[in-house]
Amino acid sequence: MQINKKFTITISLTSLIIFGALAAMPPEPQKAKNLKVLPKNLTHKQLDHIMDGWAHALGVHCNFCHARNAETNKMDFASDAKPEKETARHMYKMMAKINSKFFKAKKDSLGMMMQTGVSCVTCHHGSAHPEGGMHEEGGH
């Protein structure tokens, strides 16, 4: 009977330690979904940093390119519902091509173009639609 009691206590304590350790583990990092031009191995923090830079360069917020889920009322970052998101992809590819061809920009370890040459802010200057800014007649 003594061995059975010790065994039960040992199993119980071991289970408690294992479950405690599993509960204390950080959750699995969220993987970005529907990345078509950005590297798929970006961390959430890196992707957030890139998106913040783009939003600042265009003077916009997330909802400029990203749609809200009607059911949850939360941003659906994977959705392609807004045409601005596809435009951003085309603009990113154009910028990467210009930097690669004319500024000999190389990709960094994440697969992103290194900072050189042109970027979103080069043309946008904080405006979502740069064609209405400096380039109008008498805009200089």
Side-chain angles (χ1 to χ4, degrees), residues 105-117:
K106 304 291 182 220
K107 291 186 178 184
D108 64 15
S109 62
L110 296 172
M112 298 290 297
M113 296 300 287
M114 288 194 254
Q115 283 290 40
T116 185

Side-chain angles (χ1 to χ4, degrees), residues 85-140:
K85 186 173 180 183
E86 190 60 27
T87 300
R89 287 178 174 137
H90 288 295
M91 298 298 283
Y92 177 78
K93 289 192 281 188
M94 177 188 70
M95 179 194 72
K97 193 176 217 176
I98 290 168
N99 285 335
S100 166
K101 183 174 181 176
F102 296 104
F103 297 100
K104 306 296 182 224
K106 304 291 182 220
K107 291 186 178 184
D108 64 15
S109 62
L110 296 172
M112 298 290 297
M113 296 300 287
M114 288 194 254
Q115 283 290 40
T116 185
V118 298
S119 67
C120 303
V121 76
T122 304
C123 297
H124 282 270
H125 300 286
S127 173
H129 303 284
E131 68 275 359
M134 287 182 17
H135 302 290
E136 289 181 7
E137 267 186 70
H140 282 356

Side-chain angles (χ1 to χ4, degrees), residues 1-134:
M1 194 66 136
Q2 185 69 7
I3 293 175
N4 226 1
K5 191 175 182 180
K6 285 182 180 179
F7 179 74
T8 303
I9 291 172
T10 303
I11 292 296
S12 298
L13 287 174
T14 303
S15 297
L16 187 63
I17 291 169
I18 290 171
F19 288 126
L22 288 174
M25 290 176 64
E28 189 70 28
Q30 284 184 323
K31 286 286 184 188
K33 296 175 185 148
N34 198 22
L35 293 180
K36 294 183 179 176
V37 296
L38 294 174
K40 297 186 183 355
N41 62 339
L42 291 174
T43 66
H44 179 72
K45 186 177 180 179
Q46 291 166 329
L47 184 58
D48 226 19
H49 179 73
I50 292 165
M51 292 294 113
D52 286 346
W54 290 4
H56 180 72
L58 275 68
V60 298
H61 296 284
C62 302
N63 63 353
F64 184 76
C65 292
H66 298 286
R68 192 169 290 282
N69 181 312
E71 292 174 15
T72 64
N73 204 30
K74 293 183 178 180
M75 295 303 295
D76 183 358
F77 294 109
S79 169
D80 286 336
K82 295 193 78 175
E84 291 85 354
K85 186 173 180 183
E86 190 60 27
T87 300
R89 287 178 174 137
H90 288 295
M91 298 298 283
Y92 177 78
K93 289 192 281 188
M94 177 188 70
M95 179 194 72
K97 193 176 217 176
I98 290 168
N99 285 335
S100 166
K101 183 174 181 176
F102 296 104
F103 297 100
K104 306 296 182 224
K106 304 291 182 220
K107 291 186 178 184
D108 64 15
S109 62
L110 296 172
M112 298 290 297
M113 296 300 287
M114 288 194 254
Q115 283 290 40
T116 185
V118 298
S119 67
C120 303
V121 76
T122 304
C123 297
H124 282 270
H125 300 286
S127 173
H129 303 284
E131 68 275 359
M134 287 182 17

